[in-house]
Amino acid sequence: MTVFTQGLVLDDEARRRIEARGTRIVTSPVTALAGAPGTLTGATLADGTTVPLDALFVAAIPRPRDAYLDALDLPRDDEAPGRPIAADPMGRTAHPRVWIAGNVGSAFANVPLSLGQGSMAGAGANMTLVEDEIRAALGTDAAAPTDPATHWEARYAERPAIWSGRVNARNHRDPRDGRSDRADDRPRRHARDPHGPTAVVSVGHEHRDG
């Protein structure tokens, strides 16, 4: 294997790590590729020599196509490849009405990862819109929560257990005779609310307020 630096200056530690596995380092820039149409036999260097090759891999520099957001002057993540726009885990940027997903916020996000990020961003935007409607209905100008995680941590810290009062019929068990509408024996756990009856809910499907 051969690494062509193409003008990139490697420090001693980088060289030591690359050469540790027998990889050759070539500092002379590649000026042309040799071979018949559809084939590759080597790379021609600036000094006139040719390095035999069977395949060539190029490391591209990621550049997000986000110029349309420049007017918002959103902060960027200077430590991430491509300096993408900075956002929290829900995709929310420094602007209270802008969420991002995909390569705009993560240079190497593939399709499945981008889909997941889009789902998170959509959930975050929806929560903010619901909060807006609630404040409008109450006639208050209270500021919207800026951090969804902080909001929900505070919500579920109010009492030892939070129960909406809306029991899923498939998960309901009558505490008087032990009857259940469930047709299976999947693991269940009890959630007791000091202000309401006891309910049995499936693990991972608890009713949560909001």
Side-chain angles (χ1 to χ4, degrees), residues 43-57:
T44 301
L45 309 180
D47 60 12
T49 60
T50 298
V51 178
L53 295 177
D54 295 319
L56 180 66
F57 298 89

Side-chain angles (χ1 to χ4, degrees), residues 11 14 18 20 38 44 55 65 67-68 73 87 111 126 132-133 164 193 203 206-207:
D11 58 28
I18 293 174
T44 301
R65 296 183 179 180
Y68 59 93
D73 195 26
V111 172
N126 179 73
D132 286 349
E133 292 178 353
S164 68
D193 187 291
V203 175
E206 294 183 57
H207 284 285

Side-chain angles (χ1 to χ4, degrees), residues 24-180:
R24 176 188 178 190
I25 298 176
V26 175
T27 58
S28 182
V30 176
T31 58
L33 299 178
T39 64
L40 175 66
T41 58
T44 301
L45 309 180
D47 60 12
T49 60
T50 298
V51 178
L53 295 177
D54 295 319
L56 180 66
F57 298 89
V58 179
I61 300 176
R63 293 188 177 90
R65 296 183 179 180
D66 54 14
Y68 59 93
L69 296 172
D70 287 349
L72 297 177
D73 195 26
L74 298 172
R76 294 183 174 274
D77 185 351
D78 293 325
E79 301 299 322
R83 295 187 66 246
I85 295 172
D88 67 13
M90 295 292 289
R92 191 172 191 171
T93 68
H95 192 288
R97 286 295 184 270
V98 177
W99 286 259
I100 60 175
N103 296 127
V104 175
S106 179
F108 301 114
N110 56 16
V111 172
L113 181 57
S114 297
L115 288 171
Q117 292 175 346
S119 176
M120 295 293 288
N126 179 73
M127 187 182 74
T128 296
L129 294 175
V130 171
E131 292 286 348
D132 286 349
E133 292 178 353
I134 292 174
R135 286 195 303 277
L138 295 175
T140 176
D141 295 326
T146 57
D147 180 12
T150 300
H151 169 77
W152 289 113
E153 284 293 333
R155 175 72 179 92
Y156 289 107
E158 293 175 0
R159 299 206 309 263
I162 300 293
W163 183 55
S164 68
R166 300 187 298 275
V167 179
N168 188 323
R170 287 178 53 81
N171 297 332
H172 179 259
R173 178 185 295 276
D174 190 331
R176 294 169 298 179
D177 58 12
R179 290 178 301 176
S180 173

